[in-house]
């Protein structure tokens, strides 16, 4: 994008950013954040689901994309560092183990996030530099719950609590699970909040030869992806954002965090896609 166009964007149209859920596939969000940094563009508001809530919280905290990239690669893509952080999560006593510090097949995501989130992410929404909306799903209420104030870390944990992998999280006495269940890419919460609304979909979908039976966990997560893509399709028909990006993430699994560098390498082109789309949106 030409320099004069960028300067016009910085002083002219405002942007709002919606970052979708997708587990490790959401590492691709880093390219979008880095591109906005490069262009000198700062969202007026951010909305996120699941991994999008994590990346959105980091950006809303004032972290630059390069800082988020460095932290991600250090904390989760290096096996030794990953194991060290997981080791710190072990129950420190028998009573803690029996009281539910960990559950077989269902990890306490609040504790996991405390070990992995950057220190720059504050404990409360009020301390963010950019307004943030975090999506969670009210399990018994059967509806979407939007977190905009209070305990930020708890809201992130609720939004990223993938069923069967992580325990549900209670907010205001309500049981919350993965925000992507109801709203995989929450751009609908940003309409009217800025001149240009950007949505980034990293949900992806099952990939294979069409004949091999998926494992139990792949089948569970793949089914969720199919459901979320149907939700996204309906929302796009009803009221699409000005810019909608879909990085190529299908080859990666939801829990492929050790492949963070591969995810970044495979999705680098989304940064240029965003710059071109912004240039077109600003000039039109």
């Amino acid at each position: 994008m030409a320099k004069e166009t960028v300067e016009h964007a910085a002083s002219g149209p405002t942007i709002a950013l919606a970052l979708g859920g997708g587990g490790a596939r959401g590492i691709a969000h880093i390219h979008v954040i880095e591109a906005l940094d490069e262009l000198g563009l700062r969202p007026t508001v951010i909305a996120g689901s699941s991994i999008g809530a994590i990346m959105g919280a980091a950006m809303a905290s004032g972290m630059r994309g390069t800082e988020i990239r460095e932290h991600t690669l250090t904390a989760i893509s290096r096996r030794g560092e990953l194991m060290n952080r997981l080791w710190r999560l072990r129950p420190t006593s028998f009573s803690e183990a029996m009281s539910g510090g960990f559950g077989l097949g269902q990890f306490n995501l609040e504790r996991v996030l405390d070990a992995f989130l950057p220190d720059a992410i504050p404990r409360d929404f009020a301390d963010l530099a950019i307004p943030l909306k975090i999506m969670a799903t009210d399990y018994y209420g059967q509806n979407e719950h939007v977190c905009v104030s209070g305990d930020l870390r708890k809201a992130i944990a609720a939004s990223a609590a993938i069923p069967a992998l992580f325990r549900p999280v209670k907010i205001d006495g309500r049981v919350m699970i993965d925000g992507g269940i109801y709203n995989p890419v929450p751009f609908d919460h940003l309409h009217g909040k800025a001149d240009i609304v950007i949505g980034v979909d990293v949900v992806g979908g099952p990939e294979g030869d069409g004949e091999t039976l998926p494992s139990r966990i792949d089948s569970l997560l793949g089914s969720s992806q199919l459901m979320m893509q149907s939700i996204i399709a309906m929302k796009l028909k009803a009221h699409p954002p000005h810019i909608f990006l879909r990085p190529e993430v299908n080859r990666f699994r939801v829990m492929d965090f050790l492949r963070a560098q591969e995810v970044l390498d495979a999705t680098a082109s989304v940064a240029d896609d965003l710059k071109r789309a912004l240039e077109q949106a600003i000039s039109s």
Side-chain angles (χ1 to χ4, degrees):
M1 185 184 293
K3 181 179 180 182
E4 59 269 19
T5 305
V6 176
E7 289 176 348
H8 173 70
S11 61
T14 55
I15 65 168
L17 179 65
L19 301 176
R25 295 164 169 171
I27 293 168
H29 287 319
I30 293 174
H31 291 301
V32 172
I33 298 171
E34 288 178 330
L36 293 175
D37 288 341
E38 181 183 338
L39 299 175
L41 297 175
R42 177 186 173 96
T44 58
V45 59
I46 300 170
S49 290
S50 200
I51 186 71
I54 296 173
M55 294 293 178
M59 188 182 194
S61 301
M63 294 181 71
R64 294 182 60 81
T66 53
E67 295 173 315
I68 300 172
R69 175 190 288 259
E70 181 179 359
H71 177 84
T72 300
L73 293 177
T74 298
I76 65 174
S77 72
R78 299 172 186 172
R79 188 175 297 274
E81 177 65 19
L82 177 66
M83 295 310 296
N84 284 338
R85 289 174 183 259
L86 289 174
W87 177 250
R88 294 175 210 157
L89 295 174
R90 72 192 189 283
T92 56
S93 66
F94 179 76
S95 60
E96 181 182 350
M98 295 304 293
S99 66
F102 276 108
L104 183 61
Q106 280 196 306
F107 293 100
N108 184 331
L109 189 53
E110 291 182 72
R111 291 188 61 192
V112 173
L113 290 177
D114 274 341
F116 285 93
L117 287 180
D119 293 336
I121 296 180
R123 295 279 172 180
D124 197 283
F125 277 87
D127 296 319
L128 292 170
I130 300 173
L132 176 67
K133 298 173 180 282
I134 290 181
M135 307 299 128
T137 298
D138 187 325
Y139 182 75
Y140 290 110
Q142 302 176 42
N143 57 28
E144 178 182 76
H145 181 84
V146 185
C147 304
V148 295
S149 62
D151 191 325
L152 176 60
R153 299 290 184 101
K154 186 178 286 289
I156 294 172
S159 186
I162 300 173
L165 291 180
F166 300 109
R167 290 181 188 169
V169 175
K170 280 193 174 182
I171 294 181
D172 297 331
R174 304 293 302 179
V175 176
M176 302 292 166
I177 59 173
D178 187 357
I181 298 296
Y182 252 82
N183 202 336
V185 190
F187 53 80
D188 51 313
H189 285 274
L190 302 180
H191 292 310
K193 304 295 184 182
D195 298 315
I196 300 173
V197 176
I198 303 168
V200 188
D201 172 19
V202 294
V203 170
E207 186 170 78
D209 59 13
E211 297 180 357
T212 302
L213 292 176
S215 67
R216 179 179 60 86
I217 191 65
D218 282 344
S219 178
L220 174 65
L221 296 176
S223 298
S224 295
Q225 289 166 332
L226 294 174
M227 176 198 69
M228 288 188 276
Q229 286 296 357
S230 69
I231 294 172
I232 294 169
M234 288 188 290
K235 286 174 50 180
L236 286 173
K237 286 183 179 179
H239 197 167
H242 301 92
I243 297 173
F244 191 70
L245 304 169
R246 271 194 169 125
E248 294 291 335
V249 295
N250 278 10
R251 79 178 78 167
F252 302 103
R253 289 182 171 143
V254 169
M255 298 306 291
D256 270 346
F257 288 102
L258 284 172
R259 300 176 66 189
Q261 185 61 61
E262 292 180 58
V263 176
L264 287 170
D265 291 342
T267 58
S269 63
V270 73
D272 289 332
D273 293 341
L274 174 59
K275 291 175 187 177
R276 283 191 295 268
L278 278 170
E279 184 169 18
Q280 182 177 359
I282 291 170
S283 61
S284 61

